[in-house]
């Protein structure tokens, strides 16, 4: 049985609670002045990710303000390609920059051997967090889904049309499978170490799965996720795993039933009546307030939050956003949101 003090784990175990647990994707971030101060102390974003003391500190900051029901490790999905041997840098105003791998000939520079030498500080952060978070707070470890991580590895940065990765995947599917296989292995090892260090739940962020065709989604989102889930459960049979396949639409049913994830994260575009009638019957769901409502705040934020709570109240549910909280969000609006949810019964 899950820890009865941790409503987040109870919801993941299938319990329908009168007040849903709440946490927010990117709840530690630039919208908080204390985060910006700690980021300045660290020097760079990657320095912050690899500094266990400071990464632990920024993870704890939103808990002190809002007492969220879960904490999520502060890190980045792109530490995996860096650990595999791909050059990574974050440029101010431009985001991540990687040495692009445009075809199978570039895979030789990647190696799973030794990834823990790079990722060791992150496991130390997880361990510190396991000791530091309140007793009623659950600890989430995470990684990017293989397809999403591969988009950055192939494009070399963020993309609007994902032309290079789709050209690689559709033009040389067997070669692209090799990259996905490398990422499945590295991600499995990474997540197992996080659980060993104290993570109680795992979330897989498949942020860009929605750009794929139906066959592509099955091959490069569902199948890799299924392999990772199986690998993790071979070691930790009861480990709760949340899959967040943003933009998946009607693929969500297949994603849930075929991958074996415990719960499905919902982006803001998913119709909630359909979720309640179809997806929530299969297991817990998490989501899905549009982050823009938390920027604008006011009566519309409360009205939309009330609609979400009402629509999903009859099944296991974790309140979250449909994507990450954004830097321009007012901390006061987050406080108003959390208090409104906590006052429901």
């Amino acid at each position: 049985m899950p820890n009865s003090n941790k409503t987040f784990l109870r919801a993941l175990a299938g319990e329908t609670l009168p007040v849903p647990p709440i946490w927010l994707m990117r709840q530690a971030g630039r919208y908080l002045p204390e985060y910006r101060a700690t980021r300045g102390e660290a020097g760079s974003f990657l320095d912050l990710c690899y500094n266990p003391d400071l990464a632990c500190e920024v993870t704890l900051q939103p808990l002190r303000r809002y007492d969220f029901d879960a904490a999520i490790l502060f890190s980045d999905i792109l530490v995996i390609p860096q650990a595999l041997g791909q050059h990574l840098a974050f440029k101010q105003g431009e985001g991540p920059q990687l040495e692009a791998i445009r075809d199978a000939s570039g895979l030789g520079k990647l190696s799973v051997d030794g990834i823990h030498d790079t990722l060791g500080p992150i496991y130390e952060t997880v361990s510190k967090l396991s000791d530091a978070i309140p007793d009623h707070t659950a600890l989430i470890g995470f990684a990017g889904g293989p397809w999403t991580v591969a988009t950055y590895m192939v494009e070399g940065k963020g993309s609007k049309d994902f032309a290079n990765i789709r050209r690689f995947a559709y033009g040389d599917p067997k070669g692209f499978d090799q990259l996905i296989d490398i990422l499945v292995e590295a991600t499995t090892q990474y997540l197992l170490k996080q659980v060993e260090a104290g993570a109680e739940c795992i979330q897989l962020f498949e942020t860009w799965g929605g750009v794929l065709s139906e066959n592509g989604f099955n091959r490069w989102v569902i199948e890799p996720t299924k392999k990772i889930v199986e690998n993790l459960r071979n070691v930790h049979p009861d480990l709760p795993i949340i899959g967040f396949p943003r933009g998946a639409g009607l693929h969500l049913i297949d994603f849930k039933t075929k991958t074996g994830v415990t719960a499905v994260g919902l982006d803001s575009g998913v119709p909630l009546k359909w979720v309640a009638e179809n997806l929530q019957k299969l297991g817990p769901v998490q989501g899905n307030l549009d982050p823009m409502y938390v920027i604008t705040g006011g009566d519309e934020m409360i009205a939309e939050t009330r609609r979400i709570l009402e629509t999903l109240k009859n099944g296991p549910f974790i309140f979250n956003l449909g994507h990450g909280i954004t830097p321009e969000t007012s901390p006061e609006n987050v406080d108003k949101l959390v208090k409104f949810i906590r006052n429901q019964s």
Side-chain angles (χ1 to χ4, degrees), residues 103-275:
D103 54 44
S105 67
L107 301 181
K109 67 181 71 173
L110 305 178
S111 175
V112 177
D113 297 336
I115 62 169
H116 302 308
D117 294 336
T118 299
L119 300 172
I122 294 173
Y123 311 142
E124 185 179 344
T125 301
V126 176
S127 181
K128 284 179 176 290
L129 285 169
S130 183
D131 293 334
I133 61 174
D135 290 341
H136 62 276
T137 307
L139 179 56
I140 307 170
F142 79 93
W147 166 261
T148 293
V149 175
T151 64
Y152 292 95
M153 297 177 74
V154 174
E155 298 290 341
K157 57 183 179 180
S159 176
K160 293 182 178 180
D161 61 9
F162 300 92
N164 291 307
I165 189 168
R166 288 187 293 148
R167 186 178 294 113
F168 183 1
Y170 298 165
D172 181 15
K174 290 184 178 179
F176 188 71
D177 281 343
Q178 295 175 41
L179 174 56
I180 294 294
D181 288 345
I182 291 169
L183 288 170
V184 166
E185 176 61 25
T187 304
T188 296
Q189 290 193 29
Y190 179 48
L191 293 176
L192 285 173
K193 285 286 190 180
Q194 290 187 39
V195 175
E196 183 181 317
E200 299 169 283
C201 168
I202 292 299
Q203 176 152 319
L204 283 167
F205 288 86
E206 198 62 274
T207 310
W208 302 121
V211 308
L212 281 163
S213 68
E214 180 179 1
N215 287 339
F217 190 88
N218 287 327
R219 183 166 182 170
W220 293 309
V221 172
I222 288 179
E223 284 303 314
T225 302
K226 177 182 177 182
K227 289 176 184 176
I228 292 170
V229 171
E230 289 174 345
N231 292 342
L232 295 176
R233 295 263 173 75
N234 283 338
V235 183
H236 302 285
D238 300 320
L239 178 67
I241 301 169
I242 304 168
F244 178 55
R246 182 169 172 246
L250 293 179
H251 294 308
L252 286 171
I253 295 290
D254 278 349
F255 180 84
K256 166 60 180 161
T257 58
K258 293 180 180 180
T259 64
V261 295
T262 309
V264 176
L266 310 171
D267 63 67
S268 302
V270 182
L272 292 188
K273 186 173 184 292
W274 176 86
V275 170

Side-chain angles (χ1 to χ4, degrees), residues 2 6-17 20-21 262 284 316-318:
K6 301 190 179 188
T7 56
F8 175 80
L9 297 180
R10 288 167 58 190
L12 284 175
E15 189 174 344
T16 301
L17 299 166
T262 309
F317 172 55
I318 296 163

Side-chain angles (χ1 to χ4, degrees), residues 286-327:
Q286 175 180 278
N288 77 331
L289 182 67
D290 187 333
M292 185 57 70
Y293 279 109
V294 196
I295 294 175
T296 58
D299 293 341
E300 290 303 314
M301 178 183 76
I302 296 302
E304 180 66 2
T305 300
R306 183 183 288 113
R307 183 186 74 86
I308 293 169
L309 295 172
E310 180 66 22
T311 307
L312 298 177
K313 68 180 182 181
N314 294 320
F317 172 55
I318 296 163
F319 192 94
N320 208 307
L321 303 180
H323 196 36
I325 196 168
T326 56

